[in-house]
């Protein structure tokens, strides 16, 4: 009798674990499909971003908003950081030490030629 | 007779028993035979049949590699797209189906109807349609019409870089440009998947599954700078409008690495329609176009003479007239350069000219006199070394070779070659030749792809070929001569704010179909900057500019100035002037 009960429980357990396994496999399959779909959406979004960032789109928009390419750029050499070429303004016009020029305003420092 | 009766009953029962046993036995034999057939005799065949019913094998298409510019911006990528197809024998009303599909896809319906009626079992009605279009068609519920997912190649930068990147055909095979040149690397290797399916066709979880994954194609990292590329194309577009030219082409080269930073032009090519603005097919004049470069080739002639020590920059060429006659009597019959009569662009008295002045004023006569100091073989050697008449080997398809006339019987060819006639070169060859001067006499193979990246992120760097052409001293001297052209010669319009540049103008008459020179010109300019430590070469060719702007100094030099300024700023080159 005990053997029968053990066998019954074992069979029930086997059937249950098999069902659970199948359910997990199904779920995994669904996740894989969802990942694939998300991948496709991601690709589409990356493409969309690239299109939006493309100069072909941005430049006419910028022009339409009245933005222009500066006629004349005035590079400024920060003394001690880069050697000032002929005709280029020196950092003394800033009247601040080099260390301060590079740390006080990172944006300004980043825009210096040669950086 | 009970005994006889009983005996008959026994016999009858025995007969029935025996019969029953026989029937069962025959049944078992039949079953056994069938079992033998199924399990042994036809086992392989039936196993195969069963597998065919429940096993499905599909090819896994590889993901085509992506193409990036030098900043990581997308130039070409692959996304999933929907295609609409039909099984014609399931279509109930072909005319209605064609009309409905035609309306939604904005395509003429007659060709769709033709495809539906061509007797095939499977036909595409529309391929790689825009998002939403396929679902609109499916929403109507047309019988026999279905959709499937296909890979679609997209070019987010549009026409601005199409002449470099090229395009793939509808089946995703590289057809032009980088897509064609690197098709083997980009396309990857298909994989396959074998899986068990249920009666509805869905994969059975935990079922048999064998998968050989597809190997994605390599990604390509190019040297193209997309903003510069766009800017160069816009400069060309403006120049074309200003000069009413047929076309305008620009190439921007990194002097020391040979990397192409931009290669643009108009008429621009549209990768969606596969046509350019004039309705013509794919073309890239920078690589495929051959033309007589005219005066920009004087740089090679003078470099050869300097390198051989035959002249110096201040060597005086005595008695430079406004016209020179190589074949006696040639000038009397007109001024047809090819037959031996050569003139300077502007008339001047016969005078002594220093070599630097010859270049600055672009004197044809002076350059021919310098060229005559060279042995023909010496000039050929330098033409070869500078890359004229030889493919550069750039990683684009359809590169033109160019060439020059080395026929010893041609009495005027050396003179013509000295000033850029009887020579055919591509704009790329000329730009690479000027890069030699910028890189202290070393020719470097121009190239676009800098790295190939596989799916694991492993990078294969591309190594360009190099060879020595002239000495560093010669290159430095020529740079000074070229600076003189911009600072005091024919190319003041090539000046760039904040930088000292050098270069050479060229205005070559075009040849018509009969081989005679016409008044139409190809105006060009090739130059370097900063001239004391060149980083960038820009070559510009304007095809048939009209009116006063038909010369290199007026049509091409302003384009050079705009593009060079942008290039120097994009590459972060420190100003030097």
């Amino acid at each position: 009798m005990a053997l029968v009960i053990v066998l019954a429980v074992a069979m029930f357990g086997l059937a249950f674990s098999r069902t659970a396994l199948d359910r997990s496999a199904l779920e995994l399959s669904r996740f894989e499909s969802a990942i694939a779909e998300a991948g496709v959406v991601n690709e589409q979004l990356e493409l969309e971003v690239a299109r939006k960032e493309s100069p072909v789109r941005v430049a006419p928009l910028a022009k339409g908003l009245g933005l222009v390419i500066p006629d004349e750029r005035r590079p400024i050499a920060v003394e001690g950081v880069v050697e000032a070429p002929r005709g280029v303004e020196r950092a003394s016009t800033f009247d601040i030490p080099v260390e301060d020029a590079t740390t006080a305003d990172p944006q300004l420092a980043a825009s210096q030629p040669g950086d | 007779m009970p005994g006889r009766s009983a005996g008959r009953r026994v016999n009858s029962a025995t007969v029935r028993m025996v019969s029953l046993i026989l029937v069962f036995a025959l049944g078992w034999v039949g079953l056994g035979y069938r079992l033998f057939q199924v399990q042994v005799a036809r086992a392989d065949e039936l196993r195969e049949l069963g597998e065919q019913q429940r096993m499905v094998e599909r090819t896994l298409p590889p993901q085509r590699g992506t193409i990036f510019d030098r900043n990581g911006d997308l130039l070409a990528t692959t996304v999933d797209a929907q295609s609409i197809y039909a099984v014609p024998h399931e279509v109930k009303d072909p005319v209605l189906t064609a009309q409905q599909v035609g309306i939604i896809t904005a395509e003429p319906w007659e060709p769709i109807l033709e495809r539906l009626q061509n007797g095939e079992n499977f036909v595409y009605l529309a391929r790689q349609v825009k998002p939403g279009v396929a679902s609109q068609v499916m929403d109507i519920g047309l019988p026999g019409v279905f959709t499937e997912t296909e890979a679609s190649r997209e070019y987010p930068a549009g026409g601005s870089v199409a002449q470099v990147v090229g395009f793939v055909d509808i089946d995703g095979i590289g057809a032009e440009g980088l897509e064609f040149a690197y098709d083997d690397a980009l396309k990857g290797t298909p994989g396959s998947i074998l899986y068990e399916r249920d009666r509805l066709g869905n994969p059975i979880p935990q079922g048999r599954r064998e998968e050989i994954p597809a190997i994605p194609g390599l990604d390509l990292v190019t040297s193209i700078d997309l903003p510069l590329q766009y800017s160069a194309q816009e400069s060309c577009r403006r120049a074309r409008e200003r000069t009413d030219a047929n076309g305008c082409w620009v190439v921007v080269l990194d002097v020391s690495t040979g990397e192409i930073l931009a290669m643009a032009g108009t008429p621009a090519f549209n990768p969606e329609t596969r046509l350019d603005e004039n309705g013509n097919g794919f073309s890239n004049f920078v690589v495929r176009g051959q033309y007589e470069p005219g005066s920009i080739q004087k740089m090679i002639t003078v470099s050869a003479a300097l390198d051989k020590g035959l002249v110096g920059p201040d060597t005086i060429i005595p008695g430079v007239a406004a016209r020179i006659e190589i074949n006696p009597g040639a000038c009397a019959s007109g001024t047809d350069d090819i037959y031996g009569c050569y003139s300077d662009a502007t008339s001047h008295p016969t005078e002594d000219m220093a070599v630097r002045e010859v270049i600055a004023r672009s004197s044809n006569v002076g350059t021919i006199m310098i060229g005559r100091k060279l042995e023909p073989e010496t000039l050929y050697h330098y033409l070869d070394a500078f890359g004229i008449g030889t493919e550069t080997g750039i990683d684009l398809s359809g590169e033109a070779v160019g060439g020059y006339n080395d026929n010893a019987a041609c009495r005027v060819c050396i003179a013509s070659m000295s000033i850029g006639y009887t020579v055919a070169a591509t704009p790329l060859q000329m730009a690479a030749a000027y890069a030699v001067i910028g890189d202290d006499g070393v020719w470097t193979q121009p190239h676009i792809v800098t790295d190939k990246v596989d799916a694991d992120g492993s990078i294969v760097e591309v190594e360009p070929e190099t060879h020595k052409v002239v000495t560093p001293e010669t290159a430095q001297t020529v740079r000074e001569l070229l600076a003189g052209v911009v600072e005091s010669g024919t190319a003041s319009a090539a000046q760039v704010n904040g930088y000292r540049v050098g270069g050479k103008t060229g205005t070559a008459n075009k040849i018509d179909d009969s081989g005679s020179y016409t008044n139409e010109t190809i105006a060009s300019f090739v130059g370097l900057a900063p001239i004391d430590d060149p980083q960038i070469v820009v070559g510009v060719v304007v095809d048939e500019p009209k009116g006063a702007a038909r010369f290199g100094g007026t049509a091409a030099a302003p384009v050079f100035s705009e593009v060079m300024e942008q290039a120097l700023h994009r590459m972060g080159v420190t100003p030097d002037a």
Side-chain angles (χ1 to χ4, degrees), chain B residues 101-354:
Chain B
V101 172
I103 289 167
I104 294 171
T105 58
E107 296 287 335
W109 64 274
E110 292 88 348
I112 299 175
L113 180 63
E114 259 177 49
R115 288 201 290 277
L116 280 170
Q117 294 176 329
N118 67 3
E120 301 284 337
N121 292 323
F122 173 99
V123 288
Y124 280 113
L125 303 183
R127 292 187 74 174
Q128 299 172 12
V129 295
K130 288 181 178 161
V133 171
S135 57
Q136 276 185 57
V137 171
M138 293 315 289
D139 287 347
I140 307 173
L142 295 166
V145 176
F146 309 94
T147 63
E148 68 170 11
T149 302
E150 277 196 299
S152 169
R153 198 69 166 160
E154 299 291 334
Y155 304 97
S160 63
V161 75
Q163 278 138 337
V164 176
V165 174
F167 58 91
V168 297
D169 64 17
I170 193 71
D171 294 314
I173 299 166
E176 284 289 2
L178 290 175
E179 294 275 28
F180 178 79
Y182 284 92
D183 192 52
D184 284 343
L186 285 164
K187 69 183 179 189
T189 310
S192 65
I193 184 168
L194 185 74
Y195 63 91
E196 233 172 330
R197 65 175 176 184
D198 63 17
R199 66 188 181 85
L200 297 174
N202 301 315
I204 299 173
Q206 304 295 315
R208 190 176 149 207
R209 182 187 172 95
E210 290 167 21
E211 182 175 345
I212 301 169
I215 301 169
L218 300 180
D219 292 341
L220 302 182
V221 179
T222 69
S223 53
I224 295 291
D225 182 79
L226 188 54
L228 179 62
Q229 174 82 13
Y230 175 78
S231 172
Q233 193 176 47
E234 286 303 295
S235 292
C236 250
R237 193 186 302 281
R238 286 193 293 274
R240 204 172 151 219
E241 285 168 7
R242 190 176 64 241
T243 63
D244 194 22
N246 284 353
C248 169
W249 296 87
V250 178
V251 58
V252 185
L253 265 175
D254 183 303
V255 164
S256 58
T257 64
E259 291 176 358
I260 305 280
L261 304 176
M263 185 187 279
T266 57
F269 182 77
N270 184 336
E272 286 187 14
T273 61
R274 313 281 201 261
L275 296 171
D276 72 13
E277 292 163 344
N278 293 343
N280 297 319
F282 183 88
S283 173
N284 182 346
F285 192 84
V286 174
V287 173
R288 298 183 179 184
Q290 299 182 85
Y291 72 113
E292 285 184 306
S295 294
I296 57 173
Q297 184 163 301
K298 289 171 183 168
M299 180 277 289
I300 296 178
T301 307
V302 171
S303 293
L306 287 166
D307 206 48
K308 281 289 170 190
L310 299 174
V311 294
D314 296 311
T315 301
I316 298 296
I317 309 298
V320 178
R323 176 181 283 188
I324 186 169
E325 191 174 69
I326 304 296
N327 275 343
C331 292
S333 64
T335 55
D336 198 342
D337 291 348
I338 204 168
Y339 296 115
C341 183
Y342 303 87
S343 307
D344 281 351
T346 51
S347 184
H348 60 82
T350 299
E351 56 189 301
D352 296 344
M353 266 190 215

Side-chain angles (χ1 to χ4, degrees), chain A residues 46, chain B residues 65-77 153 161 165 178 186 218-226 448-451 453:
Chain A
E46 278 181 3
Chain B
T66 302
I67 304 176
F68 298 98
D69 84 338
R70 67 188 300 115
N71 312 305
D73 289 333
L74 280 179
L75 301 182
T77 189
R153 198 69 166 160
V161 75
V165 174
L178 290 175
L186 285 164
L218 300 180
D219 292 341
L220 302 182
V221 179
T222 69
S223 53
I224 295 291
D225 182 79
L226 188 54
I448 294 177
V449 171
T450 53
D451 297 317
V453 186

Side-chain angles (χ1 to χ4, degrees), chain A residues 40 44 51 56 72-73 85-86, chain B residues 80 154 157 565 569 575 577:
Chain A
V40 171
Q44 295 280 3
R51 282 210 177 104
V56 177
E72 188 182 349
R73 293 171 179 79
R86 278 172 286 164
Chain B
D80 282 349
E154 299 291 334
E565 185 176 11
H569 287 293

